[in-house]
Amino acid sequence: MFSCLNLRRRLRGGRQGSSSASWDAMSKPKTQAPAVIHKVIMVGSGGVGKSALTLQFMYDEFVEDYEPTKADSYRKKVQLDAEEVQIDILDTAGQEDYAAIRDNYFRCGEGFLCVFSITEQESFQSTSEFREQILRVKNDENIPFLLVGNKMDLEERRQVTVEEAQARAQEWNVSYVETSAKTRANVDKVFYDLMREIRAQKVAAAKPDNDKKGKKKKSGRKCVIL
Ligand SMILES: Nc1nc2c(ncn2[C@@H]2O[C@H](COP(=O)(O)OP(=O)(O)O)[C@@H](O)[C@H]2O)c(=O)[nH]1
Ligand SMILES: [Mg+2]
């Protein structure tokens, strides 16, 4: 679950978490080893389809009128290749205009889906700002990150070419994937690809070699749930 300052939390599709807990503490084994949790954050301008993608992934349905100002977190058990894992998704909304709230969200994320709409050039331009903010907070060029061009079903309204989006992704050394929350095209793909990136980074960080080189990142700050 994600921590957010005054975020009204609703964990849908999963268990309720206790307040004032930390993600780290929640991940600790109780009786038996729990599934690994991969923490994903949806970022992007308003109206690009972050909530629609999240709800399509979680519940297999296309929601046309999800409240635009509401940030919510979701948890789901999924089979990632041979392993059962949990995915936590924070679907951000308007509050991230406040830098402190946004930074707090981003600090807690292990991977990011940076979404724009292929029908809105401005939303594509905004992805650079989100990328910069994430890199500043996470301080890690290799943070798991996918550039997602949503609303691919609206080809006749396309304003962003595949080529320009791919060029930006290449510049950032990340993958570019087009999706449709409406038709479900590539919806699973973006979440699973991102989880694989997160998993790979956790494996790399756990290697003793990386410790010696001081590559392992320590966040130093906890993700406090209020
Ligand atoms: N045609 C189409 N509409 C979409 C798609 N994704 C989202 N929408 C619509 O775009 C609007 C904004 O979506 P929403 O998920 O609320 O955007 P958010 O502000 O980024 O969370 C809603 O009316 C959605 O139904 C898509 O892939 N295709
Ligand atoms: Mg939304």
Side-chain angles (χ1 to χ4, degrees), residues 82-140:
E83 190 189 2
E84 184 174 86
V85 302
Q86 291 194 71
I87 182 170
D88 268 19
I89 305 170
L90 178 69
D91 172 27
T92 63
Q95 293 122 315
E96 57 272 22
D97 286 343
Y98 297 99
I101 296 177
R102 189 193 57 222
D103 289 3
N104 191 42
Y105 285 161
F106 289 1
R107 196 171 295 121
C108 302
E110 296 171 329
F112 296 82
L113 292 182
C114 185
V115 186
F116 68 93
S117 165
I118 65 152
T119 67
E120 197 199 334
Q121 180 63 226
E122 218 180 316
S123 71
F124 178 60
Q125 300 312 332
S126 300
T127 59
S128 297
E129 289 160 38
F130 286 103
R131 171 91 181 157
E132 274 168 32
Q133 289 159 0
I134 290 163
L135 292 188
R136 181 175 49 73
V137 173
K138 301 300 288 186
N139 194 22
D140 179 5

Side-chain angles (χ1 to χ4, degrees), residues 45-52 62-64 66 150-151 153-154 180-182:
S45 309
V48 298
K50 298 180 298 296
S51 301
F62 179 55
V63 179
E64 299 233 24
Y66 192 68
N150 188 42
K151 306 198 186 183
D153 57 292
L154 299 176
S180 169
K182 187 168 186 176

Side-chain angles (χ1 to χ4, degrees), residues 190-204:
V190 289
F191 286 98
Y192 278 88
D193 282 1
L194 186 65
M195 278 192 282
R196 289 192 182 97
E197 285 192 20
I198 294 171
R199 183 181 59 191
Q201 208 182 53
K202 284 177 183 169
V203 169

